[in-house]
Amino acid sequence: MVASLTKGNSDVYAMLVPKDEPLYEYFADPLNGAGNFLLERYAPEVEIDPNYSEEGVEKLLTALDSIPQVSIATFLNNLMQESFAATVPSKFDRITDDANDDMKIKEEHVDECLIANNGVLYLLNEVFSPAKFSSVAGPVDINENMRIMKTFINDLKYNYYLLAMDADYSLVVPGDNNFVYYDPLTYGNHTVEDRMVMYALHFDAEHKDNNTKNPYLWHEKLEIDDKTLEIKDTLSTVKGYPSNIASELLEYLIIVHDKVEPRVHENRLYYSTKGYGTIKVDARGENIKFYGGEQLEKGTEIVAVDVISQTNGNTYSTAPVQESTETVLYSSVPTPPTKSIYQNMLAHADSETNDGLYEEFFNLCYPRGEKSKTLKDALTAIHKNIYDESIPEDTIKMYSIFYTDGKMTNCVPFLNTYHYTVYIPSNEDIQRLYGLGLPQWTAIENEINDNPKRAMSMIRLVNNFVRYHFQDQSVYCDISPFFVPNVDGGKDYEASLATSLINNDNGRFYDLTVKSEGGTIVLEDEWVREGEVNQWARVVNTPAENENKTWNVMCRDCKGTTTIETSSYSVLQPIDRALLNNSFFGYDGRFARFAVTGERVDTMSVTGGKGGFINGNNCYLVAKAGRIPHSTDEEPQPEGLSNVEIAYLMQPISSTDAEWNSDVAREALVYDEEGLPILISKEGYRVTKTVDTRYDEVTYDYYTVAADGKNYKIKVSNTGAEIYREEIINESDVESPETGEEGSNGENSDEE
C-alpha cells in the first residue's frame, strides 16, 4: 500500500474501529453510553449488565440485531473514512463527523494500527458517535411517540441545526398522544374568525397511506369554548399539518443555552428559545415542569416524563399533568403566550373593574377622551388643523403605542421580531410627574383646535416618555441574578440595554443599565441631576403569588391574517418609579415639550440648551427647526452656502426691565454648537444661521426679526463682550425666517 501511494496511485480507505470494551459501554451503559437509547428503543426486553463480560457481549450481539439497519449504517458510516492520506495522525484534527464538525480524535485514542490490502484500521479505546445519535434530535428519530416532532424537524431541515455539537440545547418534544395547539390568531384581539380554534395532531395506525401502508400525520381543526376550552365542533379533518405550526413550535421548543450555563438547572427558571420567546422550566422538584406563556395564562402544567442526556444538550419528552377527556383536550406542548402587551396591560388598567395596577401608564399608551376618542382621532384633527389635509397613515403609526391595521390589532408597531421588556411605572409616580408637566390626555385635547402645534408637541413628549420604557431583551426576575455572557466565557452581572427611544443628538437609542439587587431587577436611567445621586428604579416583584400575573408577565404581539407572519415577545415588569432622561426636562426641572417653529410659547415649558443672560439669568434653546433655502426663483442658492433655521426663546422678563429699554439695546444671548454667542430677538421669534463654507474659513451670520418686523443681522463676538445690532439688511439679501420655507431635515419641524 505504501508503495502504491508513493507511486501516485489511488488513495486507500481508513476505518476507525472501537475495541470491544468501549463499544460495549457505548451501548450497554444506561448512564454513560451514548448509544444506549437505541437498545432501550429497539431491544428493551434484553437485559444487559453494564459491566463488560463475555456473557454480556453475547446478549449485546443479540440486541444489536434488533436495531434497524439504517441506524447501524449511520453508526458505521461515521467511522469509515474515504482517504487514508487525509486521516494520518498529523491530520487527525481535520477528521469530521456526519455533521462536518471536528470529531476530536487524538493519537492517544489509538491503541493499534492494522494495515490491510485496501486500507488501514485504527483500533480505538474510544467510541466516536455520529452526531445524529449524539445530538438532541437523535432520540426523536427513533422514538415511536415522537413522530410528529420528527416530521417537523425533518420537513423543515432543523435536523441540521440540531446536529451542531458545539452548541448547547434543550429540545422539548411533546408526545404524539397529546399534541394539541391553540391558534393564537383566534385569541381575543387577534381574532380572524368568530370562534376560537384548536388543532389536534395525530399519528396513529388508524390512518395509513394507501400505497405504503404506513401511518401518516393528520390533524383536526376544532372549535372550542374560549372559557371552558370544551370542544364545540369539529371543523375539518385533514391529512398533514397546518403549515404555520411546525416552524412556530420548533422555534419555541428549542432552548438555546449559553456556554456559562449549558443545561437546565434548579437555580434558574426562565430560558430563551431559538425564536426569541421565553419558556419557564422548574427543575426544583421530582419532575421537571415546563410552562409556556399559554400554560402560565391558564394555570396548567406540562411535565417531563423522560430526560435523555445527549452530547449537545438534553431531550425532554413531555406530557400534560391533566388527563384529557372526550370534551377537553390537554396538551403536551409548551406553547407561546396568546396575549399581547395590550391585552395584558388592559387586564390591570381600570381601578373600577380590576386592580388598576397599570392604569396611569396604560392611559398614556392608549389615550381615550370625550373629544377625541382615540389617539388616531386626535392626530387626524391636529393634522387637519395645521395642514388642512388628511393625515398620512404612517404618521398615525409612528405616534401609536398600540396600532391596528389589516394585519395587527392593538399591537406595538415599533417592535421588530425580537424580545423586549416593558417597564410600567407605578400609578403614584406617574401622578407625581403630571405635577411636573407630563401632559395628560385632557390637556392635549384642550389644545387640539386652538393650538394644534402645541397639542402635537405634547403628544411627541408623551410618546418619547413611553418609548423610554420599552427595552430590548426580555429581563425576568429569576432565582439566580441577572447576567449576560461575556466574550471571555464568563458572566457580566450588569449590562447596558437599548430602549426604543432615539437620542436625536447622536442618532442612537438611549440605554438603561440593568442589574440584580436585593432579589429583584434594578434600573439606572439617564436622568442626571446636579449634586444628586441617581436612585435606581426597582422592579416590584411582590407578592410572590402574583408572579406571571402582574410581574414576569409573558406577552406576544403577532402580525398576520390567517397565519402568523411575524411576532415579538415581551415581558411586563412593574417598577416603583418612572424612567427619565434629561431630554424630557427644561432647566426649571419640569417636563419640557418640543416647541415648533415660529410658535410663541411659555419658555418654562419648552426644552433647550442652557445659555447665559447678560444679567446672569438663564435662557433656553427651543429647537433646531430645520433648513431654509438661501435662494429665490431668480437666484439659485450658491453651492457651499446654506441657512439653518434655529428657533430660540428666552426666559420671560418684565417689559419694564431697564435691560430692554436701554439705549444699547442689549438682548439675551445663547451659545451655538461652536460655542459662539447668538443674540435673541426680544419677542422670541426664530433666528436664521447662515453657514458659508465657500472659502477657506467657514463663516457664520445670524439674522432675526425685531419688533419693527424687519430683518437684522447680528454681529457675533468670539468673546461675547459686545453684542449689538448692525445695519439693517435689505430684505432681498436674506429671506425672512418668518416667511422662509421650512426644510425637511429639521429635528423638530412642524411636520409630525
Side-chain angles (χ1 to χ4, degrees):
M1 181 191 69
V2 174
S4 66
L5 286 175
T6 58
K7 291 178 182 179
N9 292 334
S10 299
D11 199 354
V12 293
Y13 297 106
M15 188 165 183
L16 310 175
V17 182
K19 297 173 75 173
D20 282 356
E21 288 197 29
L23 190 61
Y24 184 91
E25 180 183 352
Y26 176 82
F27 283 108
D29 189 340
L31 297 178
N32 302 311
N36 183 257
F37 73 97
L38 291 168
L39 298 189
E40 290 182 351
R41 164 67 182 86
Y42 295 110
E45 73 284 353
V46 181
E47 296 183 4
I48 304 176
D49 190 333
N51 298 310
Y52 179 79
S53 66
E54 290 188 6
E55 180 183 356
V57 169
E58 293 299 323
K59 289 185 176 181
L60 176 59
L61 292 174
T62 300
L64 291 176
D65 286 339
S66 300
I67 298 176
Q69 289 186 2
V70 63
S71 296
I72 297 296
T74 298
F75 177 78
L76 294 176
N77 286 337
N78 190 56
L79 301 175
M80 298 174 68
Q81 304 295 315
E82 293 185 354
S83 169
F84 166 65
T87 57
V88 294
S90 62
K91 297 181 180 179
F92 275 3
D93 60 345
R94 302 180 189 177
I95 299 177
T96 58
D97 60 17
D98 56 326
N100 286 324
D101 288 333
D102 182 6
M103 193 175 280
K104 299 180 180 178
I105 184 173
K106 302 183 183 302
E107 289 189 43
E108 55 262 33
H109 294 140
V110 181
D111 284 349
E112 191 176 353
C113 180
L114 303 178
I115 300 176
N117 62 355
N118 65 338
V120 174
L121 289 83
Y122 294 105
L123 300 187
L124 308 178
N125 54 38
E126 184 86 17
V127 179
F128 293 90
S129 183
K132 188 173 183 180
F133 288 177
S134 303
S135 80
V136 290
V140 182
D141 204 45
I142 63 169
N143 196 302
E144 285 295 314
N145 193 37
M146 299 180 179
R147 288 177 296 180
I148 295 175
M149 281 290 284
K150 176 182 177 180
T151 302
F152 289 175
I153 290 171
N154 292 335
D155 283 359
L156 274 68
K157 310 301 181 186
Y158 275 69
N159 49 331
Y160 298 109
Y161 174 81
L162 295 171
L163 285 179
M165 290 295 110
D166 59 347
D168 294 289
Y169 303 121
S170 287
L171 177 62
V172 183
V173 184
D176 291 351
N177 296 334
N178 298 279
F179 210 105
V180 177
Y181 174 79
Y182 295 88
D183 185 357
L185 285 178
T186 64
Y187 268 82
N189 285 319
H190 294 306
T191 299
V192 294
E193 303 185 47
D194 292 330
R195 53 198 171 196
M196 185 169 163
V197 172
M198 177 181 72
Y199 296 102
L201 282 73
H202 307 277
F203 216 129
D204 56 49
E206 297 179 5
H207 294 75
K208 294 184 177 181
D209 186 91
N210 291 331
N211 296 322
T212 64
K213 306 303 180 184
N214 293 324
Y216 61 76
L217 176 59
W218 62 283
H219 75 275
E220 297 173 285
K221 183 177 180 180
L222 306 170
E223 180 184 0
I224 60 173
D225 186 278
D226 60 354
K227 292 183 175 61
T228 66
L229 304 183
E230 291 185 347
I231 299 171
K232 297 171 65 176
D233 190 15
T234 300
L235 304 177
S236 62
T237 300
V238 183
K239 183 178 180 180
Y241 55 87
S243 58
N244 62 308
I245 285 183
S247 60
E248 170 90 4
L249 289 181
L250 287 176
E251 292 287 304
Y252 195 69
L253 297 178
I254 299 172
I255 297 173
V256 183
H257 295 281
D258 46 66
K259 290 296 181 182
V260 293
E261 292 189 357
R263 303 288 170 104
V264 166
H265 61 87
E266 61 184 11
N267 290 319
R268 185 175 176 183
L269 293 174
Y270 297 93
Y271 297 87
S272 296
T273 68
K274 183 179 183 298
Y276 299 123
T278 301
I279 192 167
K280 185 177 182 180
V281 186
D282 191 345
R284 292 173 294 183
E286 182 178 349
N287 295 317
I288 298 176
K289 297 177 181 178
F290 290 86
Y291 306 86
E294 181 192 335
Q295 284 69 50
L296 294 175
E297 293 167 2
K298 296 177 179 175
T300 57
E301 296 178 347
I302 294 171
V303 297
V305 294
D306 193 13
V307 182
I308 305 167
S309 179
Q310 298 290 91
T311 301
N312 66 344
N314 289 341
T315 304
Y316 297 90
S317 176
T318 58
V321 172
Q322 297 94 331
E323 290 285 339
S324 294
T325 66
E326 291 186 0
T327 57
V328 178
L329 299 180
Y330 291 100
S331 178
S332 59
V333 187
T335 39
T338 65
K339 295 182 179 179
S340 64
I341 295 173
Y342 169 85
Q343 289 172 289
N344 278 311
M345 286 181 63
L346 182 63
H348 302 277
D350 188 344
S351 55
E352 294 184 2
T353 59
N354 51 58
D355 58 22
L357 187 66
Y358 305 157
E359 185 169 20
E360 294 295 347
F361 189 71
F362 181 79
N363 289 339
L364 294 174
C365 296
Y366 193 73
R368 294 152 293 174
E370 295 182 2
K371 298 178 182 178
S372 299
K373 298 298 184 183
T374 66
L375 177 64
K376 182 175 181 178
D377 294 337
L379 290 170
T380 301
I382 289 170
H383 196 90
K384 187 73 173 177
N385 289 336
I386 297 175
Y387 299 105
D388 195 26
E389 61 183 32
S390 299
I391 189 170
E393 189 65 29
D394 285 347
T395 300
I396 296 174
K397 186 175 182 179
M398 178 168 53
Y399 286 104
S400 296
I401 302 301
F402 300 125
Y403 180 72
T404 299
D405 63 10
K407 291 189 175 182
M408 66 176 82
T409 302
N410 285 327
C411 291
V412 181
F414 50 84
L415 303 187
N416 188 25
T417 61
Y418 193 56
H419 55 114
Y420 304 87
T421 304
V422 183
Y423 297 110
I424 304 176
S426 68
N427 293 329
E428 294 76 14
D429 198 56
I430 292 181
Q431 289 166 355
R432 177 183 68 85
L433 296 181
Y434 290 150
L436 292 177
L438 180 65
Q440 292 181 269
W441 187 243
T442 51
I444 295 173
E445 279 192 306
N446 292 334
E447 300 286 355
I448 290 176
N449 292 323
D450 296 335
N451 198 342
K453 291 182 179 180
R454 182 182 178 91
M456 191 64 240
S457 178
M458 296 165 77
I459 288 175
R460 287 194 192 100
L461 177 57
V462 172
N463 184 267
N464 286 1
F465 173 79
V466 171
R467 279 176 176 253
Y468 194 51
H469 291 77
F470 283 72
Q471 169 206 282
D472 287 0
Q473 298 194 28
S474 293
V475 175
Y476 285 81
C477 295
D478 212 326
I479 300 172
S480 54
F482 163 82
F483 73 91
V484 293
N486 60 37
V487 294
D488 299 322
K491 299 178 180 179
D492 288 334
Y493 291 96
E494 183 175 304
S496 292
L497 303 178
T499 69
S500 294
L501 176 62
I502 291 180
N503 183 340
N504 286 326
D505 290 337
N506 57 26
R508 301 175 60 185
F509 290 98
Y510 283 103
D511 287 336
L512 297 172
T513 302
V514 182
K515 67 177 183 180
S516 292
E517 183 181 279
T520 188
I521 300 295
V522 296
L523 311 157
E524 184 178 40
D525 53 27
E526 296 189 9
W527 185 25
V528 180
R529 296 172 295 286
E530 187 175 350
E532 294 185 26
V533 177
N534 194 5
Q535 298 297 315
W536 293 57
R538 302 177 66 85
V539 171
V540 183
N541 59 342
T542 55
E545 58 268 23
N546 278 359
E547 183 175 6
N548 308 126
K549 297 176 182 177
T550 62
W551 56 276
N552 279 1
V553 181
M554 293 186 187
C555 311
R556 188 185 186 200
D557 282 30
C558 298
K559 178 182 178 181
T561 51
T562 57
T563 61
I564 295 175
E565 297 177 8
T566 61
S567 68
S568 300
Y569 291 92
S570 305
V571 57
L572 303 187
Q573 300 288 21
I575 52 178
D576 60 357
R577 73 160 178 85
L579 304 172
L580 306 169
N581 69 59
N582 289 338
S583 73
F584 297 156
F585 295 95
Y587 286 93
D588 56 355
R590 295 178 59 81
F591 274 84
R593 67 187 187 82
F594 301 92
V596 291
T597 307
E599 181 187 3
R600 290 175 180 247
V601 296
D602 172 10
T603 58
M604 301 303 288
S605 66
V606 298
T607 187
K610 187 173 182 180
F613 271 161
I614 290 177
N615 63 7
N617 293 322
N618 291 331
C619 57
Y620 300 88
L621 165 63
V622 176
K624 294 177 182 178
R627 298 186 179 274
I628 61 174
H630 190 83
S631 62
T632 64
D633 293 339
E634 293 77 19
E635 297 183 19
Q637 176 171 309
E639 185 175 352
L641 188 66
S642 62
N643 286 350
V644 180
E645 188 176 24
I646 311 173
Y648 286 100
L649 293 177
M650 56 198 167
Q651 191 174 27
I653 190 167
S654 171
S655 59
T656 61
D657 194 292
E659 284 293 324
W660 297 118
N661 300 307
S662 63
D663 294 336
V664 295
R666 286 185 173 181
E667 297 188 3
L669 60 99
V670 294
Y671 298 89
D672 70 0
E673 58 269 31
E674 281 77 30
L676 301 177
I678 305 172
L679 193 63
I680 307 302
S681 64
K682 181 176 177 180
E683 290 75 17
Y685 279 96
R686 293 170 291 178
V687 173
T688 298
K689 171 184 176 183
T690 299
V691 184
D692 194 340
T693 60
R694 293 175 293 178
Y695 310 103
D696 291 340
E697 183 178 357
V698 178
T699 60
Y700 307 92
D701 284 319
Y702 298 87
Y703 303 90
T704 188
V705 176
D708 56 13
K710 296 180 180 179
N711 293 320
Y712 284 81
K713 182 177 180 181
I714 308 304
K715 184 176 180 180
V716 177
S717 164
N718 286 331
T719 63
E722 285 292 330
I723 306 297
Y724 59 91
R725 286 179 178 163
E726 237 181 26
E727 73 278 5
I728 296 177
I729 304 299
N730 188 291
E731 292 193 8
S732 63
D733 292 340
V734 59
E735 187 173 3
S736 167
E738 284 302 294
T739 59
E741 180 183 349
E742 294 169 11
S744 60
N745 295 328
E747 292 178 326
N748 289 292
S749 65
D750 285 0
E751 298 178 14
E752 279 107 336

